Amino acid sequence: MSESKRSTWGSNATFILAAIGSAVGLGNAWRFPNLAAKHGGGAFLMVYLLAMLIIGIPLLMMEISIGRKMRAGAPGALRGLNKKFEPIGWAATSNAFVIVTYYAVVFAWVIMMAAFSFKFINMTGDNQAASSLWSTIIKTTGTIKGFDTISIPVLICLLVAWGLIYYCIRNGTKSVDKIIKYLIFLPVVCLGFMAIKGATMPGAMQGLAAFFIPDFSALSNPMLWVDAVGQVFYSMSVMMAIMIAYGSFLSDESNIARDGMIIAFSDLAVSLLSGIVMFTTMYGTNLEEMLAQKSGPGLAFGVYPTAIVNLSNSGVFNAIFAFVFYFCLCTLAIDSAFSLVEGISTAFSDKFGTSKKKTTITICAIAGVISLIYATGGGLAVLDIVDNWCNSFTLILVGVIETVAIGWFYNTNKIIGEINRNTKKIKMPKLWFDIAVKIVAPISLSILFIWNIWDLFKNKGGIYGAADGYNITSNVLAGWAVFALCMLSGFIIPLFARKKKNNGDSSSED
Ligand code: PHE
């Protein structure tokens, strides 16, 4: 860990914007509104806010502060706290690697839809054509077959996606410095434009009422609580090796307590703005019942195009709106995608002593080749399975282990000291931090993990996506095996590092 050569953020604002860029992603646009629609609007918002305050904010500050304290990416920083913690950092890093292989493909899809938005010009009122546009271009079978076919538009957009990701992160913090302000500003402008259109539609008020007014009866549904905790965790990009790496480039003078608050509330603000856009446009086009049913790509590529072609009688306006929407998703996705790459390359270059630039190219190249699988006819099904395991199992289990390790086997006073080092006004109180890291986070994440296992075995008969024709082999290969590899990577990767050290070899082995 060559501390003297470690790069730093150009300014504290760059760090804050980069962390916001990572946190604010597709999840804000297509997961948050769906959960709010499913769980009684304002009731979900309240629980989300609570979960963000109680668990999200302390965990975010914890990760940033251990990065800064140890001046290393996730594995190195956790190793700095206690040698035995290193594998937790590798599990998070490996999971981030798996996630970026498919996140890049999702990014490619939104680029593709932005490029094809002119097609909406001739689709006014044609729900059928609009809702099938995406699936006809990506040529998916929706099942575990068709790996010998590949969609050329997706392939081209995937190359563009990887090119853009690499371009943004090629010189680490230095290149992020130049573009990050646009990547934060542009989606907010796009969302603002869409919110204004949405708010002037006939059903807008009903939509806003459904989003903000709490249906208190929803609070008794345990799934609301499970989903709120999961969304806070996912949305704030914690336990993904990202925030530790970002923290490791921070100056000693930065105020983590204040910056953590800014990051968390900015993330929430974008979720709320996306919620306003989704609720007003879906109510305005009488598609409101779809909002609670569909999330993720199904919402953005299957349902939302139908809303777009019913927005107005002008095909040109609808097409412009489509472009703004998909362009907005591009700007949301890119900084989350490159934050994953940065988290991974920081971990590897710290451990193997390889140059940051070479490590970043290598990671983009390997992940780029792997991501081709999702561009094939069977890719969507594989993506669905991998995504389910990454987010419902690996991420959550890493969260449990990391919080137990730090909360119970490390002196949390040292972390609180690091968080509050440069703050006078806003301080992270010891009680709040300890309750969050030692008790609430491990317990709620364990419940989430157990629930996900229970749901898979009891409700789904042990096979995820059986209704869509996924079989046990695909679950084992794309789900369980990937999960096991991520969890064990912390015991495998250090062996390579040791071998490299023994050989005195200077070439990169990652
Ligand atoms: N926080 C992102 C979101 O809400 C999720 C994410 C970030 C996923 C970084 C992967 C990597 O969409």
Side-chain angles (χ1 to χ4, degrees):
M1 277 164 245
S2 46
E3 213 175 287
S4 54
K5 279 202 300 193
R6 194 169 197 84
S7 60
T8 48
W9 296 106
S11 69
N12 201 52
T14 308
F15 159 71
I16 296 176
L17 291 176
I20 294 174
S22 173
V24 172
L26 296 170
N28 301 58
W30 67 28
R31 224 168 151 204
F32 186 88
N34 160 262
L35 293 174
K38 227 159 71 182
H39 295 306
F44 176 78
L45 303 188
M46 282 163 37
V47 178
Y48 181 89
L49 181 66
L50 200 69
M52 182 184 105
L53 290 172
I54 297 181
I55 320 177
I57 289 178
L59 292 191
L60 176 68
M61 291 179 184
M62 175 185 92
E63 291 217 323
I64 298 171
S65 68
I66 61 177
R68 184 178 69 179
K69 191 173 166 67
M70 296 300 160
R71 295 266 170 245
L78 285 160
R79 184 187 166 89
L81 302 185
N82 182 327
K83 265 190 167 176
K84 293 201 179 105
F85 295 175
E86 185 180 349
I88 311 169
W90 285 115
T93 307
S94 314
N95 195 37
F97 179 81
V98 179
I99 293 176
V100 81
T101 61
Y102 68 82
Y103 206 82
V105 178
V106 179
F107 179 31
W109 290 339
V110 285
I111 296 175
M112 183 187 82
M113 289 298 277
F116 279 98
S117 49
F118 69 89
K119 293 224 172 208
F120 286 93
I121 294 177
N122 298 321
M123 283 187 191
T124 312
D126 189 347
N127 296 359
Q128 179 57 35
S131 64
S132 57
L133 177 65
W134 169 69
S135 54
T136 44
I137 310 176
I138 74 164
K139 286 207 183 72
T140 178
T141 64
T143 55
I144 308 289
K145 52 175 183 267
F147 294 106
D148 51 346
T149 60
I150 199 154
S151 157
I152 300 299
V154 178
L155 191 61
I156 295 169
C157 292
L158 190 55
L159 275 175
V160 175
W162 277 112
L164 289 171
I165 293 171
Y166 178 69
Y167 178 78
C168 291
I169 202 69
R170 68 196 186 287
N171 290 323
T173 53
K174 301 254 165 342
S175 39
V176 172
D177 198 16
K178 299 209 176 68
I179 34 117
I180 194 67
K181 42 188 180 299
Y182 306 107
L183 296 179
I184 301 296
F185 173 70
L186 284 171
V188 174
V189 172
C190 294
L191 286 169
F193 165 80
M194 290 187 283
I196 292 171
K197 169 64 190 160
T200 54
M201 296 191 66
M205 281 307 136
Q206 262 172 293
L208 291 176
F211 184 42
F212 285 108
I213 298 178
D215 167 8
F216 288 106
S217 66
L219 293 175
S220 60
N221 178 1
M223 278 316 290
L224 179 155
W225 297 81
V226 168
D227 283 343
V229 172
Q231 175 65 7
V232 161
F233 203 57
Y234 178 80
S235 193
M236 296 180 81
S237 298
V238 286
M239 310 293 160
M240 291 197 190
I242 298 170
M243 292 302 176
I244 299 184
Y246 275 14
S248 76
F249 309 126
L250 257 184
S251 85
D252 284 334
E253 285 75 49
S254 55
N255 179 344
I256 297 177
R258 182 202 57 197
D259 296 354
M261 287 288 183
I262 298 175
I263 297 162
F265 280 96
S266 306
D267 184 43
L268 176 67
V270 177
S271 290
L272 292 177
L273 190 53
S274 317
I276 293 172
V277 170
M278 283 288 176
F279 274 77
T280 53
T281 48
M282 299 301 263
Y283 273 77
T285 50
N286 295 320
L287 287 164
E288 62 270 20
E289 75 284 358
M290 297 305 286
L291 198 50
Q293 285 168 24
K294 294 273 182 194
S295 165
L299 178 64
F301 305 126
V303 177
Y304 207 72
T306 320
I308 291 172
V309 295
N310 288 294
L311 278 174
S312 78
N313 292 328
S314 157
V316 173
F317 175 83
N318 295 348
I320 291 174
F321 192 94
F323 179 77
V324 172
F325 176 68
Y326 291 111
F327 177 73
C328 176
L329 294 186
C330 290
T331 57
L332 289 177
I334 187 166
D335 36 13
S336 294
F338 73 61
S339 71
L340 286 165
V341 174
E342 186 60 22
I344 306 161
S345 65
T346 306
F348 276 97
S349 64
D350 284 348
K351 183 77 183 175
F352 289 84
T354 46
S355 96
K356 195 65 189 299
K357 198 163 177 141
K358 243 166 99 182
T359 317
T360 303
I361 295 185
T362 312
I363 288 162
C364 288
I366 299 175
V369 170
I370 297 175
S371 66
L372 289 174
I373 195 166
Y374 307 109
T376 64
L380 183 61
V382 181
L383 190 149
D384 188 19
I385 298 173
V386 176
D387 175 58
N388 183 60
W389 260 267
C390 284
N391 291 306
S392 308
F393 298 109
T394 320
L395 181 65
I396 310 292
L397 190 58
V398 170
V400 175
I401 302 174
E402 185 177 311
T403 49
V404 169
I406 295 177
W408 294 97
F409 299 96
Y410 186 74
N411 181 355
T412 52
N413 287 337
K414 290 191 187 162
I415 296 181
I416 300 167
E418 183 69 22
I419 294 174
N420 292 336
R421 195 159 107 186
N422 299 311
T423 183
K424 289 193 187 68
K425 287 191 202 122
I426 309 174
K427 275 199 163 109
M428 167 51 68
K430 176 172 166 52
L431 189 67
W432 179 2
F433 187 85
D434 276 354
I435 290 179
V437 176
K438 288 186 182 189
I439 302 164
V440 185
I443 293 181
S444 58
L445 293 171
S446 301
I447 293 174
L448 201 56
F449 185 74
I450 293 166
W451 165 260
N452 289 335
I453 297 263
W454 171 266
D455 183 50
L456 178 62
F457 285 98
K458 280 285 157 198
N459 302 343
K460 300 194 174 110
I463 301 179
Y464 173 76
D468 297 316
Y470 304 170
N471 53 21
I472 186 75
T473 320
S474 61
N475 273 214
V476 169
L477 291 178
W480 293 116
V482 175
F483 166 71
L485 269 180
C486 287
M487 296 312 296
L488 294 175
S489 62
F491 302 97
I492 304 166
I493 296 168
L495 294 180
F496 283 103
R498 207 167 308 146
K499 202 171 142 215
K500 181 174 181 249
K501 213 168 154 195
N502 290 344
N503 291 349
D505 174 14
S506 61
S507 68
S508 73
E509 280 264 3
D510 39 340

